């Protein structure tokens, strides 16, 4: 008798958790999402958006709550997406970020190990590592072997989780993989991140609901892809015979200025400079350098490639925000 594959996803209320849950449900998985807090305000939204998903309560900083979730879900695959993920916030909350984004990974690995017992093949593990680990980059483009030199408390915490995942793989023979994901965005991206901040503001300016947009470093560059593509890569990593680490990226980099060009042009505004203001509060104590990933290994070993171009991604987000802002404003 074959058992139905069952996934436990942490970070279920976040952008990637939603896309991954949809993907796995479409593949016939039973899917459990770990949701934290006594009355998480996003619970109703998640339940409405992903019918068929089962929610279990727990917090990745609390090992016994995670163990309880494992016993309820009985997972064959675990995706650890839960984290404090906003880099700017991590300087102001470095300790908390270390607890959640760093030590939370240890709790998830330990829960997986204890749950699997002597049968390490019982459950496979995915860790959401990040291009922020490359920080002060030592090689362009960055690949799996590039030296890690994080430039934010978030990046440091991710490096801890990354090496702990490798350590559990090597120490216990666990099928534990890390995806070193470069920035990925979508209409579900949190509004604190620059792409969504821009697409929301552009549509509100177009509709006469907002007058200006305050930003930080317009010369910053990122390798931006579509979140829907990137969760497919996570799943593929857990279907391989051998666990490993993979860079997931587009191989292209674009500046915030290019993002502004494309987003404003989508709503027929050519002279965006008149709406954009530079506000020093959005500059960071340390920026990462030229982030651009080389996804060759993922292409070769996982058969994975991105399918959405940067321009199409920005158009997708602007179109979605325009519809949402119209509805919210009753237009
Ligand atoms: P996101 O939208 O910020 O979601 C983060 C999730 O983590 C939320 O569901 C949040 O739940 C949950 N969480 C926070 N603290 C938690 C805790 N103590 N216990 C359990 N869950 C907790 O992030 P995302 O963009 O989907 O990214 C998913 C993962 O990939 C994160 O680990 C992120 O660091 C990593 N990553 C993201 C990118 C990217 O470009 N998106 C790139 C590389 C790596 P609440 O709603 O309850 O706060
Ligand atoms: O910033 C610049 C800012 O906050 C991108 C997370 O998912 O990806 C994400 O981290 C760039 C930075 O994303 C504003 O200085 C300018 O250079 O959208 P972001 P991030 O920091 O790259 C990585 C891979 C992760 O792992 C993280 O979890 O945009 N920027 N002006 C601004 N950024 C923001 N947020 N707001 C501004 O006003």
């Amino acid at each position: 008798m074959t058992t139905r594959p069952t996934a436990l996803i942490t970070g279920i209320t976040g952008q990637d958790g939603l896309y991954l849950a949809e993907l796995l449900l479409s593949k016939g998985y039973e899917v459990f999402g770990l949701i934290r807090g006594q009355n998480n305000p996003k619970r109703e939204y998640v339940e409405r958006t992903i019918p068929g998903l089962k929610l279990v309560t727990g917090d990745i900083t609390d090992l016994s709550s995670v163990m309880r979730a494992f016993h309820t879900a009985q997972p064959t695959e675990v995706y650890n997406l839960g984290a404090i993920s906003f880099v700017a916030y991590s300087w102001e909350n470095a300790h908390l970020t270390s607890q959640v984004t760093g030590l939370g990974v240890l709790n998830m690995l330990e829960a997986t190990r204890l749950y699997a017992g002597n049968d390490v093949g019982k459950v496979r593990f995915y860790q959401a590592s990040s291009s922020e680990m490359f920080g002060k980059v030592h090689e362009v483009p960055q690949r799996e072997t590039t030296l890690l030199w994080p430039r934010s408390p978030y990046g440091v915490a991710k490096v801890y989780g990354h090496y702990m995942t490798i350590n559990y793989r090597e120490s216990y023979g666990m099928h534990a993989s890390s995806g070193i994901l470069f920035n990925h965005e979508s209409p579900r991206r949190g509004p604190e991140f620059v792409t969504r901040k821009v697409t929301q503001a552009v549509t509100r300016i177009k509709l006469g609901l907002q007058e200006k947009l305050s930003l930080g470093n317009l010369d910053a560059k990122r390798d931006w892809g579509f979140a829907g593509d990137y969760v497919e890569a996570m799943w593929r990593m857990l279907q391989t015979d051998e666990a490993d680490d993979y860079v997931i990226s587009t191989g292209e980099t674009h500046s915030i200025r290019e993002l502004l060009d494309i987003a404003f042009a989508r709503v027929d505004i050519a002279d965006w400079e008149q709406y954009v203001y530079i506000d020093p509060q959005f500059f960071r104590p340390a920026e990462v350098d030229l982030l651009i990933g080389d996804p060759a290994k993922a292409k070769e070993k996982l058969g994975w490639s991105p399918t959405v171009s940067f321009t199409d991604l920005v158009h997708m987000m602007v179109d979605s925000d325009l519809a949402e802002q119209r509805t919210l404003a009753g237009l």
Side-chain angles (χ1 to χ4, degrees):
M1 192 185 80
T2 53
T3 50
R4 186 178 174 198
T6 302
L8 174 62
I9 302 172
T10 71
I12 195 65
T13 60
Q15 169 187 261
D16 292 7
L18 294 170
Y19 280 107
L20 181 63
E22 269 173 354
L23 177 77
L24 298 180
L25 284 166
S26 76
K27 291 183 183 296
Y29 280 61
E30 187 170 14
V31 182
F32 290 82
L34 188 84
I35 188 159
R36 73 187 172 120
Q38 61 186 44
N39 185 19
N40 193 307
K42 294 186 201 146
R43 175 184 277 270
E44 198 200 325
Y45 168 73
V46 172
E47 286 174 336
R48 196 171 3 102
T49 309
I50 320 282
L53 171 71
K54 294 172 180 149
L55 293 176
V56 284
T57 51
D59 191 302
I60 62 171
T61 61
D62 180 341
L63 179 60
S64 59
S65 77
V66 173
M67 285 303 304
R68 222 170 23 248
F70 269 73
H71 286 295
T72 303
Q74 304 275 312
T76 54
E77 295 176 12
V78 173
Y79 295 86
N80 184 37
L81 312 184
I84 286 179
S85 78
F86 189 35
V87 175
Y89 178 87
S90 78
W91 272 281
E92 287 154 21
N93 299 273
H95 196 273
L96 183 63
T97 304
S98 305
Q99 299 262 350
V100 178
T101 306
L103 284 170
V105 185
L106 176 59
N107 282 335
M108 290 302 297
L109 287 162
E110 192 58 6
T112 305
R113 185 180 75 84
L114 292 170
Y115 168 72
N118 292 329
D119 183 7
V120 284
K122 187 169 158 184
V123 53
R124 296 181 171 196
F125 183 89
Y126 173 82
Q127 168 56 18
S129 287
S130 165
S131 53
E132 270 289 309
M133 301 190 305
F134 295 123
K136 192 169 161 53
V137 302
H138 276 58
E139 189 179 22
V140 179
Q142 294 86 48
R143 31 181 87 85
E144 293 77 6
T145 49
T146 303
L147 181 71
L148 304 180
W149 195 288
R151 293 266 276 178
S152 62
Y154 168 82
V156 173
K158 281 288 179 190
V159 170
Y160 173 86
H162 183 71
Y163 280 124
M164 200 50 92
T165 303
I166 293 171
N167 186 258
Y168 268 61
R169 180 166 77 218
E170 294 180 351
S171 302
Y172 304 113
M174 275 171 49
H175 194 293
S177 295
S178 275
I180 307 173
L181 270 54
F182 282 62
N183 298 52
H184 46 282
E185 321 292 312
S186 73
R188 289 174 175 161
R189 186 58 144 153
E192 65 274 37
F193 299 97
V194 75
T195 52
R196 188 79 196 284
K197 181 175 172 180
V198 165
T199 61
Q200 266 188 349
V202 162
T203 55
R204 288 176 58 77
I205 288 167
K206 176 68 180 175
L207 296 173
L209 302 168
Q210 183 173 330
E211 286 179 359
K212 62 173 192 166
L213 165 60
S214 299
L215 290 170
N217 179 9
L218 301 191
D219 296 317
K221 289 183 156 188
R222 287 294 186 276
D223 178 332
W224 277 297
F226 170 53
D229 284 343
Y230 286 41
V231 300
E232 168 78 25
M234 297 175 190
W235 174 75
R236 288 190 186 209
M237 280 177 226
L238 296 209
Q239 312 316 307
T240 57
D241 292 337
E242 302 255 327
D244 208 340
D245 306 318
Y246 296 91
V247 163
I248 302 297
S249 65
T250 69
E252 283 179 22
T253 193
H254 300 274
S255 66
I256 311 289
R257 286 179 200 282
E258 289 173 80
L259 167 65
L260 290 164
D261 281 341
I262 298 169
F264 275 102
R266 185 64 171 175
V267 295
D268 301 319
I269 297 175
D271 52 346
W272 56 258
E273 281 87 354
Q274 64 175 301
Y275 300 105
V276 174
Y277 292 79
I278 303 302
D279 184 337
Q281 72 161 302
F282 296 115
F283 281 81
R284 295 177 179 184
E287 254 301 357
V288 300
D289 294 323
L290 186 54
L291 278 181
I292 173 164
D294 177 0
K297 180 175 168 185
K299 188 170 186 186
E300 188 199 327
K301 299 244 164 87
L302 304 176
W304 179 88
S305 297
T307 67
V308 178
S309 71
F310 179 60
T311 300
D312 288 347
L313 173 64
V314 178
H315 286 175
M316 180 201 301
M317 292 176 70
V318 170
D319 294 354
S320 167
D321 275 326
L322 196 54
E324 186 177 296
Q325 292 300 327
R326 278 201 175 112
T327 307
L328 287 173
L331 296 172

